[in-house]
Amino acid sequence: MTRYAHFVGSVPKELMTGDGAVLRWFADNSGGHPTGLPCDLDPEWIIEYLLGRAEHDDVFEIVRAGEYADYSDFPSYGLRPGAKLEPRHVSMDRFDRIESVVAAFDALRADRPELAQTKLQLSQPNPLDLAMFVFAGAAVSAGFPLGQALRRSNLIVAALRALPVFTEAALEEIAAVNDRYGDRVIWQVESPFALLGMVKAEQLSAKWAAAPLLARQLAGLLGRMHNVGANSVVHLCYGDYQHKSLLGPRSLAPAVTLLNHTAQHLRMQGTPLPAVHIPCAFGSEPAPQDPAFYAPLRRLSPEWSLIAGVASSTPDADSARALHLFEEAAGRTAYGVATACGLGRCSVAEAEQAAATMTRLTTEASVG
C-alpha cells in the first residue's frame, strides 16, 4: 500500500517568494506522492487574521492588550456596546487571494502531468478556534480550556455566543470557493482547540464532558462542508506558535477519544469520514519512542484514514520507529505521513530535512 506525503501547509518565510514557488517546493519535496499541495497564506497560521479584527473597530474593541510575543501575550477582543456581529466582520476574506493561488496551481499542473489528479489544499481553521482566539486570546492560549480561561469565563462565553456567526462566515467562503473550484480543492480543517481541549480534559478527568461537545461541533462543521460539496481532511494540533506546543500529551488517548465521538456524529449525519492527521510530535519535540504513547490507537474507529504526524528533522531512524509504532497500534498502514504541524516555524534546513524524512517513510514497507 502506498503512503502519501502530507504537508500541513506552511513553509519558512524565506521560501515564501510567491505562490508558484511555494507550490513547487511542496511538489519537489513530496516524493511524487502528495496528498495535496498546500499554499498557506500566513506562516503563523491565523496571526494576520487576528490582527485584522482591529480594522473592524466599529464592532470590536480590545479588552485585553497583547503583542503576540508568546502564548500569554495574545490580545482579546470584545464587542462594542450595541454592536451586532455579522459574518463580514469575522470572514477570512480570502476569495480573491485564493483565486491567485488557484491560478498558480493550475499553471504548475499544466507543466507537470504527474500532478493531474493532485488537489490544491486550502487551510480552513475551525470556526471554534477562530472565535476562541478572537474573544478569549491569552485566556485560551494559557489554559485550554480551564485554568486561566476559567478566570476569564466571560470571554469564553462571548466566543461561544459568536460561534454561529464565525461558522456562517467560514461556510459562505467555502461554498463560494467550492462553486468555482470544487474539483481542484481539498480543505484542511484545522483545530488545535479540539485536541488541546481533550488533553486538558483528560488531565482533569473530565474527558467524558468535553468529548461529546467538541466532537459535535467538529462533526457539524464537517457535515455542512460535505453538504456544499467540499472535500476535507482534518488536522489536529497541539499548537505550534514559535515552534512551541501549548500542552504536551502523555499518549494519543485524547485524540482517539475525540475522533471516536466525532465518528459517531458523522455516521448519524450520513457524512463520510475524512482522512485525519494525528500529530505525534509536538512543538520542537520529536515523536515519542514509547509504544505506550501509541497504544490507544488500538481502539480508534477503523473508518478513519490516518495520517501519521511522526516525521521531524531529527534522525530518520526515530521517525521510522515512531511510524512503525503508530501503524502497529492502529493495526493498519497509514494513508499518509506528515510532520506534527506546518513548517513555517522551522529553518529552511529543518524543513528540507523533515520533507526528506517524510519522503523516505512513504516508501518503506508497511504494516502487514
Side-chain angles (χ1 to χ4, degrees), residues 122-127 167 170-171 174-175 178 186-190 218-234 269 271:
L122 296 177
S123 167
Q124 180 53 61
N126 187 347
T167 302
L171 288 168
I174 290 168
N178 197 68
I186 184 167
W187 296 89
Q188 180 174 260
V189 177
E190 303 161 347
L218 181 59
L221 174 65
L222 294 171
R224 294 184 67 179
M225 291 177 65
H226 176 70
N227 290 342
V228 300
N231 296 309
S232 63
V233 60
V234 175
Q269 295 170 186
T271 303

Side-chain angles (χ1 to χ4, degrees), residues 3 7 21 43 147 150 224 251 253 264 295:
R3 300 189 192 95
F7 290 100
L150 277 178
R224 294 184 67 179
S251 76
Q264 280 186 313

